[in-house]
Amino acid sequence: MKFKRSVVIPSLLAVYLSVMAIIGYPDFKAGATSPKEYFGTIAVTLIVIVLLHFNIRHRDRLKHRHHCVPEGSTTLENTPPLHTTD
């Protein structure tokens, strides 16, 4: 079973975020960290992890599309370009 990078890397980062949130919880509970800072940091980090997931997935799809050769063709001449320059 092959794991996709777009799932593994964000999952590991989410686990790391969970551990850091647990470690920082006593400071939040004691009042050393404001709720806005504590939950804001968690929320922003989660958003970045989700965006990273979609970015990696998009790059993997582009890489796969670039390396696939259409049936009946031995070159990539008939494939549409990945990026257009306007």
Side-chain angles (χ1 to χ4, degrees):
M1 183 172 164
K2 184 178 177 184
F3 296 106
K4 293 184 178 182
R5 282 185 334 143
S6 64
V7 174
V8 172
I9 294 172
S11 297
L12 291 174
L13 289 173
V15 169
Y16 176 77
L17 172 63
S18 301
V19 170
M20 291 294 108
I22 292 169
I23 290 172
Y25 186 74
D27 285 343
F28 166 69
K29 196 70 170 170
T33 304
S34 71
K36 185 190 292 186
E37 181 182 357
Y38 182 74
F39 293 112
T41 301
I42 292 172
V44 168
T45 306
L46 282 174
I47 291 169
V48 169
I49 289 171
V50 169
L51 291 175
L52 176 68
H53 164 73
F54 288 116
N55 184 25
I56 293 173
R57 191 172 77 171
H58 178 70
R59 288 180 52 164
D60 286 345
R61 285 181 179 175
L62 285 178
K63 188 186 305 183
H64 177 70
R65 192 177 304 155
H66 177 69
H67 290 291
C68 289
V69 177
E71 281 188 36
S73 175
T74 57
T75 65
L76 294 175
E77 293 171 349
N78 298 330
T79 58
L82 294 176
H83 301 287
T84 58
T85 54
D86 293 327

